[in-house]
Amino acid sequence: MLIRSMFKQNRGWILGYSVGTSVYLFFLAAIFPSIQETGLIEAKLESLPPELLEVFQIDATMAMDNLLNLLSSNYYGLIFYVLAVLFALTFASKLLAKPVDSGEIMLYMAAPISRVTYVWSTFIILVIAVGLFVGLNGFSLMVADVLFDLQIDYAVLWMLQLNGALMLLVLGVVAYMLASLFDDSSKSYMVTGGIFTFFLMVNIINGVSEQFEWLGNISFFSLFDAPAIMREEFGGVHFIWLIGLLIVFSALSFFRFTRKDLTI
């Protein structure tokens, strides 16, 4: 009942992210054959500075070879990173920061619902939200492939979705853990957003100069590299890191929330 109630309260933003991104991917896939024939985008990309292409993870020589190459440098680049940050912030805000700030969470505790049950339920909502997000994204591209004969490699497609799902889960639990540190939702949102923005900036700086390549090691976003997946250079170690981070921050979230002072 709790999970059902939570999903009903949060289905607006969950479906907003899932359906909105899926519609975008479908229409981009639908017009791909036309823009591939013109060659205009490929020419524009080749004229851009290499540093700019690196920041957006664009390989100008491969971008228009097939749809997934285009998406790896379009949607699954900086766009996905920004969406992932907003998704994680929304989840933590809606399921923890605002309920604590408003005192709503005390109603759950008085039901009575244990803190462990509450955290488990919110994490299940996160899994459902992520599943809908990446599942509908992948499904929309499969539908486009059937309709427009795009010759999508489904193994690569779903590898991208799996990697994206793990990234969303990690950012979600990190945002949740950080939100548990504050009783003020605006402060929680600001601090978490600042940390994630720092990681994004690190990723961009890493792409601008080889001198700062080491900075990529401190950014979560380095664990989602769509062009590397397309080149089959993305090892399983990245997935191990993401799963490890997911376990660690989930445990920290449980530990922190079960000891949090919720008195109002």
Side-chain angles (χ1 to χ4, degrees), residues 80 130-131 134 159-170 224:
F80 182 80
V130 170
V134 299
M159 183 65 72
L160 286 169
Q161 304 313 310
L162 175 60
N163 198 179
L166 287 172
M167 176 59 65
L168 289 168
L169 289 171
V170 168
F224 181 71

Side-chain angles (χ1 to χ4, degrees), residues 8 19 25 98 109 119 128 138 140 163 184 209 236 254 260:
K8 186 175 181 180
V19 175
L25 288 173
K98 286 186 177 178
M109 301 297 103
V119 177
I128 292 172
S140 68
N163 198 179
D184 186 332
S209 173
F254 270 98
K260 183 177 177 63

Side-chain angles (χ1 to χ4, degrees), residues 60-223:
T61 62
M62 296 176 58
M64 299 305 297
D65 286 354
N66 59 65
L67 177 63
L68 291 184
N69 274 337
L70 176 64
L71 292 179
S72 71
S73 56
N74 178 284
Y75 176 73
Y76 292 109
L78 191 59
I79 292 176
F80 182 80
Y81 296 156
V82 173
L83 285 172
V85 167
L86 294 175
F87 178 91
L89 289 173
T90 304
F91 162 71
S93 175
K94 296 286 188 181
L95 274 299
L96 184 60
K98 286 186 177 178
V100 169
D101 194 9
S102 65
E104 176 188 344
I105 203 164
M106 295 303 296
L107 299 177
Y108 289 108
M109 301 297 103
I113 294 171
S114 72
R115 297 186 184 212
V116 171
T117 299
Y118 184 83
V119 177
W120 268 117
S121 299
T122 56
F123 281 6
I124 290 173
I125 294 298
L126 175 62
V127 171
I128 292 172
V130 170
L132 284 172
F133 191 122
V134 299
L136 287 179
N137 278 192
F139 180 71
S140 68
L141 290 173
M142 290 178 69
V143 171
D145 181 49
V146 171
L147 294 177
F148 307 110
D149 190 25
L150 302 173
Q151 299 181 350
I152 292 176
D153 185 333
Y154 290 167
V156 174
L157 170 62
W158 288 105
M159 183 65 72
L160 286 169
Q161 304 313 310
L162 175 60
N163 198 179
L166 287 172
M167 176 59 65
L168 289 168
L169 289 171
V170 168
L171 292 180
V173 296
V174 170
Y176 194 90
M177 189 275 291
L178 292 172
S180 70
L181 301 176
F182 304 95
D183 294 326
D184 186 332
S185 60
S186 60
K187 185 182 296 184
S188 164
Y189 203 88
M190 195 163 38
V191 171
T192 308
I195 292 173
F196 286 164
T197 300
F198 170 73
F199 285 146
L200 277 174
M201 294 303 297
V202 164
N203 223 55
I204 291 174
I205 294 171
N206 175 41
V208 171
S209 173
E210 292 183 358
Q211 294 180 349
F212 300 103
E213 192 170 348
W214 60 273
L215 283 173
N217 297 324
I218 65 175
S219 172
F220 292 142
F221 299 108
S222 65
L223 297 173

